[in-house]
Amino acid sequence: MGTATTAVHFTLGRFVIGIACGVASGVANTYVGEIAPLKWHGFYGSFFQLSIVIGLLFGQLAAMHATGGTGWRIVVAFPGVFSLIQIALLPLRVESPRYLLKAHHINEARHALLTLRRGYDVAAEWQESLLSLDVVDNNASNIRYHSDQWSATAAAASAVPANDQAGATALDKNDSKMTMKTKGHKTVDDNVAASSLTFAENMPVERATHVSGVWQTLCGRTRDDLRHLMACCIVLMVLQQLSGISAILFSDSGVVRDILDPFSPLSAPWTCVVVCGTSLPAIFLCLACVDRLGRRALLLGSLGGMSVCCVLISAGLFYGPNSMVMAAVFLCYFAFNMGAGIVPWFIISEVIPSYSLSAATTLCCSLYWVMSIATGLMVPLIENIVPQWLFVIFGCFTLADFLLVMLFVPETMNCPITEVVKKHSGNIHVVVKPYRRLNASGSIGGTSRSLLELFKC
């Protein structure tokens, strides 16, 4: 786009970039979700929103100060430099073990997992990765047998005495069979390790995993009925856009433009820069809390705060003052980045098994961008007809999202995918019970505990 000389040339560049951004938003989150440790899954998944906010912040600053003359060409061409850096760094990237398992490269998958978790016991994670695949039934016992062998091998390797930990377990790269050995200590049975690590060579082609399509996943025609979990992912992604965040974020929104000084053309862009800047503490707070408080707690707190802010913005637009509107705008975007803008992106990989993850990510990301386009077309129309009612509408969507999360979205913190699927497979159902039975003394002893279950279920 930086070299465009005609409108067609510029439009073509934006079209290609749009496709690339749409693909990257799905692939990046799927990759991070597949390689992140279970304990830190939310922490690493939150970096996607952090990178978006930082990009928006610098993009706004660059658009304000470098658009005169030929400066706009530099602004639109500069992101290409980061793309080239990413391409140059791709050879250093470790392939996703879950992807390699789906592609039937079991030895390579195990090697990738050992590389990502160097120095840690990965036997349990490896077994979980195998169980999350839609494997043919007649090979399931074979997989478990070899997985158990490898688990025993890893346990033996971890039994090295503390004074010998300097010679930690490593892969003998010169061994074509990737035999696991312990330097200077004979605590690992090399024959068992070799048998386990060469399992892929002996398995028949029929072991291949079945990758489910979008329609099969939506209809529950997979090994596990994923209709409830798919519905949760779709609702979170769609209602994220219908929360009205686009009307807050962009400087050409009438909400921001009309309440500022019309004689200061840079006031609205500067306000959007400050909004992005103040959202950074919210993201850092989310990074610190997401793997401690859980997904439901952050989503409910975020959506509840956004609902209150929408009420305040609407009241300010009807009755004033404008200062209340601006304060509510800042608080709304802060609350958005505390959970509603972060959790939906990585929760997909926490509730959908590997065999349907690609289909689920494709569908959810596609619906997200479709709703982004729809919201972009809807906001100017509503602003021209009933501008004061804009955030009343967004507040209703946000409140609906709050109720849906409270009733239907399960907690996934530190919970393996197989356990989530086992608990919440099947048709759409309520995941939290608001009331409990009376205890032996006849009092409602579980009331306070049931309130906690609204956040952790």
Side-chain angles (χ1 to χ4, degrees):
M1 293 193 297
T3 60
T5 56
T6 63
V8 175
H9 188 177
F10 188 84
T11 304
L12 180 62
R14 293 202 63 173
F15 178 77
V16 173
I17 289 178
I19 294 177
C21 289
V23 172
S25 63
V27 173
N29 282 284
T30 301
Y31 178 72
V32 173
E34 290 182 342
I35 68 171
L38 180 63
K39 184 179 179 181
W40 299 100
H41 197 276
F43 177 80
Y44 288 109
S46 302
F47 276 93
F48 180 75
Q49 181 68 11
L50 177 62
S51 63
I52 288 178
V53 171
I54 293 176
L56 288 172
L57 179 61
F58 283 100
Q60 289 276 9
L61 290 172
M64 290 168 56
H65 298 286
T67 54
T70 59
W72 67 270
R73 295 184 181 274
I74 299 175
V75 171
V76 299
F78 192 69
V81 176
F82 293 100
S83 299
L84 293 175
I85 293 174
Q86 288 179 314
I87 293 173
L89 294 176
L90 277 178
L92 303 178
R93 177 186 59 85
V94 179
E95 186 57 85
S96 164
R98 291 181 182 270
Y99 167 76
L100 290 172
L101 281 174
K102 287 192 293 184
H104 320 141
H105 304 305
I106 296 183
N107 277 344
E108 291 84 346
R110 188 178 289 114
H111 178 70
L113 186 60
L114 289 170
T115 302
L116 290 168
R117 310 285 189 268
R118 193 178 302 275
Y120 291 88
D121 181 12
V122 296
E125 184 176 356
W126 173 254
Q127 202 163 25
E128 169 66 23
S129 300
L130 289 174
L131 293 176
S132 67
L133 294 172
D134 190 13
V135 183
V136 180
D137 291 338
N138 57 5
N139 290 305
S141 59
N142 201 10
I143 284 181
R144 292 190 182 93
Y145 169 73
H146 286 278
S147 181
D148 290 341
Q149 279 190 327
W150 190 72
S151 300
T153 301
S158 64
V160 179
N163 57 357
D164 289 336
Q165 287 299 320
T169 302
L171 287 177
D172 185 0
K173 296 182 179 180
N174 295 324
D175 191 345
S176 60
K177 293 184 178 180
M178 295 171 58
T179 304
M180 184 180 291
K181 296 181 179 180
T182 304
K183 297 179 180 178
H185 208 285
K186 297 182 179 180
T187 58
V188 180
D189 187 347
D190 290 348
N191 295 327
V192 173
S195 175
S196 174
L197 291 169
T198 55
F199 166 50
E201 298 175 2
N202 300 323
M203 278 196 72
V205 177
E206 287 75 17
R207 82 188 190 285
T209 58
H210 174 66
V211 179
S212 303
V214 173
W215 184 250
Q216 290 174 304
T217 305
L218 282 175
C219 296
R221 297 173 184 171
T222 55
R223 185 190 70 182
D224 306 295
D225 190 345
L226 303 175
R227 285 177 293 172
H228 176 84
L229 298 172
M230 278 293 296
C232 292
C233 295
I234 291 172
V235 166
L236 287 175
M237 292 296 282
V238 168
L239 291 182
Q240 185 189 77
Q241 278 295 316
L242 292 177
S243 65
I245 203 64
S246 298
I248 292 175
L249 192 57
F250 300 112
S251 61
D252 58 348
S253 170
V255 176
V256 177
R257 183 184 63 246
D258 295 343
I259 63 177
L260 297 173
D261 185 3
F263 300 102
S264 178
L266 285 179
S267 59
W270 268 115
T271 301
C272 292
V273 168
V274 177
V275 167
C276 289
T278 54
S279 67
L280 291 177
I283 298 177
F284 289 124
L285 187 59
C286 181
L287 286 170
C289 298
V290 67
D291 289 313
R292 291 178 173 86
L293 299 180
R295 290 31 166 170
R296 283 175 58 85
L298 288 181
L299 282 172
L300 292 173
S302 174
L303 293 169
M306 291 179 67
S307 300
V308 173
C309 290
C310 286
V311 172
L312 294 177
I313 294 173
S314 300
L317 292 175
F318 275 106
Y319 307 110
N322 289 339
S323 58
M324 184 175 73
V325 177
M326 290 308 302
V329 164
F330 280 86
L331 290 174
C332 188
Y333 196 55
F334 185 92
F336 176 78
N337 285 288
M338 273 295 297
I342 295 177
V343 175
W345 285 105
F346 67 78
I347 201 173
I348 302 174
S349 60
E350 292 186 332
V351 300
I352 304 297
S354 298
Y355 60 85
S356 291
L357 184 58
S358 298
T361 303
T362 300
L363 178 62
C364 292
C365 289
S366 299
L367 291 175
Y368 172 86
W369 291 113
V370 168
M371 295 311 301
S372 178
I373 296 172
T375 304
L377 296 174
M378 180 180 67
V379 168
L381 180 63
I382 297 176
E383 286 178 342
N384 291 331
I385 301 174
V386 282
Q388 291 85 0
W389 288 89
L390 178 63
F391 276 87
V392 174
I393 298 172
F394 288 142
C396 292
F397 281 120
T398 305
L399 181 60
D401 199 2
F402 176 88
L403 296 174
L404 290 172
V405 169
M406 182 176 66
L407 295 175
F408 300 108
V409 176
E411 179 57 67
T412 60
M413 182 180 67
N414 296 332
C415 188
I417 296 178
T418 51
E419 184 177 338
V420 174
V421 171
K422 182 179 179 180
K423 289 182 179 179
H424 303 289
S425 60
N427 206 351
I428 298 174
H429 56 273
V430 176
V431 299
V432 62
K433 302 295 187 295
Y435 299 102
R436 284 178 170 269
R437 294 180 180 177
L438 299 179
N439 58 20
S441 62
S443 61
I444 307 177
T447 302
S448 60
R449 191 174 169 188
S450 67
L451 292 176
L452 292 176
E453 288 183 351
L454 293 176
F455 295 91
K456 292 181 179 295
C457 67

